[in-house]
Amino acid sequence: MASVLQPGVGNARQDLYRRMDKDNLAPLWEVLHALVPPQPQSPCRPALWKYRDIRPYIEESGRVITAREAVRRVLILENPGMRGQSQITRSLYCGLQLILPGEIAPSHRHTQSALRLIVEGAGAYTAVDGERVTMRQGDFIITPSWTWHDHGNEGSEPVVWMDGLDIPITHLFDATFAENYPEEVQPVTRREGDSWARYGCNLAPLSAESPFGKTSPVFSYPYAKSREALATLARGGDPDPCHGYKMQFINPATGGPAMPTIGAFIQLLPAGLRTAPYRSSDATIFSVIEGRGTASIGGQDFAFEPRDTFVVPGWQPASFSAQGECVLFSYSDRPAQIALGLWREHRG
Ligand code: GTQ
């Protein structure tokens, strides 16, 4: 029943608010609608970063600071609706990291999980708890929470990759810890390919140890393998109307997502495909590996080409129109939302 405001009640309320404010109290009824909206109300906006436009800044960053001095030489992709917060969505961070030939990004570890999607160049490596992996374009590489990692470039060309981290999630929980390795580069204790051989070939050691806790023991998913799988699927059956041929990267030890907080996906859109609108509660960051097309996000059209990055805010309808055959990598906080019973999707 609507209450009728008596004369003087407005003043009485303001008076109450003022007095209790100094005791760190606030009235819920003034903010209830904003705290519990019927649908997500996010400052996150759709956006696209054209690699062609931002590549000069990345190159210039390589002239003004070394990887050693920067620790990580990264340009952060900040959501235009959340400038200054180092966030591309409310829960995730995104950056483009540059490492020049001969450079080293020193070893450290943190509770944040990181993923890398190699965007340009070859010949760099990242090391995870004693094992190095060579980076190639399109590779999806994980740095599990609390694992030592350093990056180096032993090749002859600049290497750029996209960093996806769950920084806002660890900050939300105030569960952020970090430390530097005592030396710049951690010792190599396993041969390259060890973890792939051990966990990535539908084989597993007889003992059920999990070297990286809740994160996949396979920390590098070579693009050549994922691309071949997508090509086989695309030859064999009809595409999903919303997604084309879309797969998620898994932890072979559990069959679940490769990382506990971040879901990672790869999809092939056949040339000419126009997908049906799709929305889900996990805001999603896309990196274009192959092909040109248009992403329609919340009614706005964004033309994309290889190496571009774009973001689809949660619960905004998105559809794709593929000019040529496209391959898109994407990541979101879906595993975290599913674990907490929050995730929703809507097709059509
Ligand atoms: O490579 O360890 O983009 O710690 C941000 C924080 C990359 C990294 C980032 C990091 C890293």
Side-chain angles (χ1 to χ4, degrees), residues 1-346:
M1 195 170 67
S3 62
V4 179
L5 198 64
Q6 299 299 314
V9 166
N11 286 344
R13 288 180 190 168
Q14 293 306 323
D15 188 54
L16 169 64
Y17 300 169
R18 197 172 49 249
R19 282 180 287 111
M20 67 185 188
D21 177 71
K22 62 180 182 300
D23 286 311
N24 303 310
L25 295 168
L28 169 65
W29 56 89
E30 296 288 346
V31 293
L32 183 57
H33 55 288
L35 291 184
V36 191
Q39 294 203 353
Q41 296 284 338
S42 178
C44 184
R45 296 217 292 256
L48 180 141
W49 290 260
K50 279 206 102 32
Y51 193 71
R52 217 186 324 169
D53 294 341
I54 63 178
R55 175 70 171 70
Y57 297 128
I58 296 173
E59 193 185 327
E60 195 176 335
S61 75
R63 293 197 294 271
V64 301
I65 194 161
T66 62
R68 181 172 282 125
E69 192 189 350
V71 182
R72 298 293 184 262
R73 189 202 286 113
V74 180
L75 301 190
I76 304 171
L77 277 56
E78 290 199 330
N79 192 283
M82 296 181 281
R83 293 305 315 278
Q85 297 177 53
S86 306
Q87 299 181 355
I88 190 161
T89 70
R90 292 262 275 172
S91 60
L92 294 169
Y93 160 103
C94 184
L96 288 170
Q97 179 158 179
L98 167 69
I99 188 154
L100 294 170
E103 284 195 315
I104 285 164
S107 196
H108 69 189
R109 65 178 177 179
H110 37 69
T111 46
Q112 289 92 343
S113 298
L115 65 80
R116 332 279 174 189
L117 193 278
I118 316 311
V119 170
E120 181 190 327
Y125 67 83
T126 185
V128 172
D129 270 359
E131 183 178 340
R132 286 186 183 177
V133 59
T134 303
M135 297 169 150
R136 295 183 182 84
Q137 268 183 57
D139 288 356
F140 162 57
I141 296 173
I142 299 174
T143 308
S145 175
W146 208 242
T147 54
W148 296 112
H149 55 286
D150 42 79
H151 318 300
N153 185 346
E154 297 181 334
S156 56
E157 58 192 41
V159 175
V160 178
W161 64 82
M162 179 179 72
D163 283 326
L165 283 86
D166 55 6
I167 290 172
I169 297 178
T170 62
H171 284 188
L172 172 69
F173 292 116
D174 273 340
T176 295
F177 299 89
E179 62 184 346
N180 291 325
Y181 195 77
E183 284 124 54
E184 194 160 58
V185 177
Q186 64 177 309
V188 173
T189 57
R190 278 170 288 129
R191 277 173 180 276
E192 175 157 8
D194 185 280
S195 64
W196 179 263
R198 216 175 278 274
Y199 302 102
C201 304
N202 290 322
L203 297 169
L206 303 191
S207 65
E209 93 272 23
S210 172
F212 303 142
K214 292 190 182 298
T215 302
S216 171
V218 176
F219 67 91
S220 172
Y221 298 72
Y223 183 55
K225 301 280 183 197
S226 324
R227 185 67 181 84
E228 189 186 329
L230 290 174
T232 302
L233 294 174
R235 278 195 298 271
D238 292 335
D240 178 273
C242 295
H243 302 304
Y245 302 91
K246 186 170 184 176
M247 305 294 278
Q248 57 181 319
F249 290 95
I250 62 151
N251 175 345
T254 64
M259 310 172 77
T261 47
I262 309 178
F265 310 88
I266 191 161
Q267 72 199 104
L268 184 151
L269 306 171
L273 183 74
R274 300 178 73 90
T275 65
Y278 173 83
R279 62 167 94 183
S280 58
S281 53
D282 51 324
T284 304
I285 301 99
F286 290 81
S287 179
V288 181
I289 304 179
E290 292 181 39
R292 281 160 217 278
T294 304
S296 301
I297 311 168
Q300 252 179 291
D301 281 355
F302 297 89
F304 63 75
E305 61 182 5
R307 298 177 171 155
D308 291 352
T309 310
F310 60 90
V311 56
V312 177
W315 216 239
Q316 291 207 14
S319 59
F320 298 111
S321 170
Q323 219 175 299
E325 187 176 61
C326 294
V327 180
L328 308 177
F329 171 85
S330 58
Y331 70 99
S332 78
D333 64 13
R334 186 175 301 187
Q337 290 200 30
I338 289 175
L340 299 174
L342 296 171
W343 185 71
R344 291 192 185 196
E345 66 175 339
H346 180 77

